[in-house]
């Protein structure tokens, strides 16, 4: 039985695994294309006040109902800066996560100046223009109009245009970038680790993609195993605040004095935060329909402030269901740090949405 969490074995697996990349390249956009951004936000009074307080926006109309009513509002609306950020944020994964210079934003329009906390926001973008970059051949330039809508009424709340440089796919591939999803790494020479000789990645996030990848490994010394591109560096909020907001008062997460003489020498992350980061990375590369169960969870090393947590996934089993919307996939997920050392592992079974 191969121990995938052995440090040397796991490092060998990481070297051979395809990384499922996030974001779109210049070639993925076309003039007039409309993109519905899957995530959205329910505007929160708490998050609004946090935004205003941390950015020193202290206009009383956004803090006190009497001041709001004095300028014609029924009650305190969300601040327009917070609303703009909540419309911009959900668009990033589809539009600009690949990187490239932010060249500007224009025509920011508040269609409703009195958006209330609790409003559910839906966001969509339309490609207004795309062109080559004369100065950066590895990039193209794309302009989008992005709009945020009240998800319940369909009313337009805020819109703007923005322009970004976006990496081109072909130069990235020519420069030896990561293999595309679905491409298998070359078989490794025998290293004594017991790892399969071939790793396969799914071609997309749907149940059929996982099923097809799993079928490609049948009767072969192969596994469906892949890396997730994102990482999350642990900060004070992740390590100390998140446990406390769940009423986890363990001193290990917020008392530096107590932890000074411990094996870690400092406060450590709550294991469930580390686990959630790893599963979050995995879910970003799949169309999760519903969670079913978790098992065999282990925590292999400390995670502290400044550590970066990445994710790695194996597909263990695929099961067709009578549900026309989804099929069952069993995964084994791993969190690992910036030194490629596993810090968490566990199994998870979920219904994954079908394409058709």
């Amino acid at each position: 039985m191969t121990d995938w969490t052995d440090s040397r074995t796991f490092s060998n697996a990481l070297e051979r695994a395809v990384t499922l990349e996030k974001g779109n390249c210049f070639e993925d956009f076309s003039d007039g294309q409309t993109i519905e951004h899957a995530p959205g936000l329910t505007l929160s009074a708490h998050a609004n006040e946090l935004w205003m307080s941390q950015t020193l926006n202290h206009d009383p109309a956004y803090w006190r109902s009497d001041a709001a009513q004095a300028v014609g509002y029924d009650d305190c609306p969300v601040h327009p800066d917070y609303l703009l950020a909540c419309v911009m944020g959900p668009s990033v994964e589809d539009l600009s996560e690949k990187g490239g210079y932010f060249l500007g934003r224009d025509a920011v329009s508040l269609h409703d100046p009195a958006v209330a906390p609790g409003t559910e926001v839906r966001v969509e973008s339309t490609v207004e223009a795309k062109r080559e970059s004369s100065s950066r051949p590895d990039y193209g330039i794309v302009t989008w109009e992005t709009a945020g809508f009240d998800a319940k009424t369909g009313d337009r709340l805020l819109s703007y245009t923005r322009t970004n440089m976006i990496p081109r796919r072909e130069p990235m591939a020519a420069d030896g970038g990561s293999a595309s999803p679905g491409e298998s790494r070359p078989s490794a020479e025998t290293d004594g680790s017991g790892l399969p000789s071939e790793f396969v990645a799914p071609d997309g996030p749907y149940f059929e993609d996982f099923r097809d990848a799993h079928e490609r490994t049948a009767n072969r010394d192969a596994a469906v195993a892949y890396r997730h591109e994102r990482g999350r560096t642990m900060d004070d909020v992740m390590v100390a605040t998140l446990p406390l907001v769940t009423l986890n008062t363990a001193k290990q997460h917020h008392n530096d004095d107590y932890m000074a003489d411990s094996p870690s020498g400092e406060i450590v992350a709550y294991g469930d935060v580390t686990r959630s980061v790893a599963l979050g990375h995995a879910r970003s590369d799949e169309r999760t329909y519903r969670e079913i169960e978790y098992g065999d969870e282990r925590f292999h090393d400390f995670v502290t402030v400044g550590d970066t947590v990445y994710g790695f996934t194996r597909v263990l089993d695929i099961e067709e269901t009578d549900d026309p919307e989804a099929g069952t996939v069993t995964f084994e997920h791993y969190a690992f740090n910036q030194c490629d050392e596993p810090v968490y592992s566990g199994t998870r079974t979920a219904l994954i949405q079908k394409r058709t």
Side-chain angles (χ1 to χ4, degrees):
M1 176 71 75
T2 302
D3 181 4
W4 285 67
T5 61
D6 172 76
S7 293
R8 180 176 177 182
T9 300
F10 191 72
S11 181
N12 289 334
L14 290 177
E15 289 177 4
R16 295 169 48 203
V18 167
T19 298
L20 301 187
E21 298 182 4
K22 304 301 296 180
N24 290 310
C25 295
F26 176 73
E27 293 88 340
D28 297 319
F29 298 106
S30 57
D31 288 334
Q33 174 188 9
T34 296
I35 302 163
E36 290 272 358
H37 303 297
L41 293 171
T42 298
L43 301 177
S44 159
H46 170 72
N48 180 54
E49 291 179 359
L50 183 65
W51 180 281
M52 292 190 297
S53 64
Q54 295 300 301
T55 59
L56 304 183
N57 280 282
H58 298 161
D59 183 336
Y62 297 100
W63 290 92
R64 300 196 332 260
S65 60
D66 64 324
Q69 291 163 3
V71 295
Y73 299 129
D74 292 333
D75 207 341
C76 296
V78 299
H79 194 279
D81 291 359
Y82 169 65
L83 176 62
L84 177 59
C86 289
V87 173
M88 177 85 161
S91 74
V92 168
E93 178 174 343
D94 294 320
L95 304 187
S96 57
E97 182 157 339
K98 280 290 188 191
Y101 296 110
F102 183 11
L103 300 180
R105 183 169 55 200
D106 196 13
V108 179
S109 299
L110 284 167
H111 303 283
D112 183 349
V115 180
T119 301
E120 297 177 5
V121 177
R122 177 181 64 81
V123 181
E124 70 176 36
S125 297
T126 301
V127 179
E128 289 199 330
K130 58 177 293 190
R131 60 184 174 87
E132 309 293 333
S133 170
S134 58
S135 61
R136 300 290 299 272
D138 289 356
Y139 289 79
I141 297 173
V142 184
T143 298
W144 307 273
E145 182 192 42
T146 296
F149 300 86
D150 184 318
K152 292 184 176 178
T153 67
D155 294 337
R156 182 175 282 226
L157 305 177
L158 180 146
S159 62
Y160 60 84
T161 61
R162 74 163 164 137
T163 302
N164 273 68
M165 297 189 80
I166 300 295
R168 297 180 59 93
R169 178 176 292 105
E170 290 306 317
M172 290 173 64
D175 289 345
S178 297
S180 61
E183 181 181 346
S184 299
R185 295 290 193 189
S187 297
E189 295 181 2
T190 301
D191 56 16
S193 66
L195 292 170
S197 61
E198 183 183 4
F199 286 176
V200 175
D203 291 327
Y206 293 94
F207 173 76
E208 293 90 340
D209 299 309
F210 291 102
R211 179 197 62 200
D212 293 347
H214 190 65
E215 289 177 352
R216 294 203 301 273
T217 67
N219 302 316
R220 296 162 55 188
D221 184 23
V224 182
Y226 47 93
R227 302 173 61 151
H228 306 285
E229 185 176 31
R230 286 181 179 145
R232 177 67 165 97
T233 299
M234 294 290 191
D235 55 24
D236 289 332
V237 171
M238 297 285 285
V239 173
T241 303
L242 290 188
L244 290 172
V245 299
T246 66
L247 305 186
N248 179 340
T249 58
K251 295 186 288 293
Q252 294 92 325
H253 308 312
H254 61 265
N255 187 327
D256 267 324
D257 181 50
Y258 174 80
M259 293 296 288
D261 294 328
S262 71
S264 66
E266 57 184 310
I267 61 174
V268 298
Y270 178 23
D272 272 352
V273 173
T274 301
R275 167 194 184 273
S276 187
V277 170
L279 269 56
H281 291 328
R283 292 174 182 129
S284 74
D285 286 319
E286 65 188 51
R287 293 283 187 172
T288 313
Y289 187 77
R290 188 170 296 118
E291 299 289 320
I292 298 178
E293 63 182 6
Y294 313 93
D296 197 24
E297 295 193 315
R298 301 289 186 273
F299 296 90
H300 304 284
D301 207 345
F302 302 117
V303 174
T304 62
V305 172
D307 283 344
T308 301
V309 174
Y310 295 94
F312 180 92
T313 292
R314 281 201 298 153
V315 174
L316 301 182
D317 193 27
I318 300 287
E319 184 179 344
E320 295 278 1
T321 68
D322 295 331
D323 190 335
E325 300 294 330
T328 302
V329 182
T330 299
F331 304 94
E332 185 164 40
H333 298 298
Y334 305 82
F336 64 97
N337 62 20
Q338 67 277 8
C339 299
D340 291 350
E341 299 164 336
V343 294
Y344 161 85
S345 63
T347 62
R348 164 176 165 260
T349 300
L351 285 171
I352 304 299
Q353 185 178 336
K354 292 180 179 177
R355 181 176 283 103
T356 55

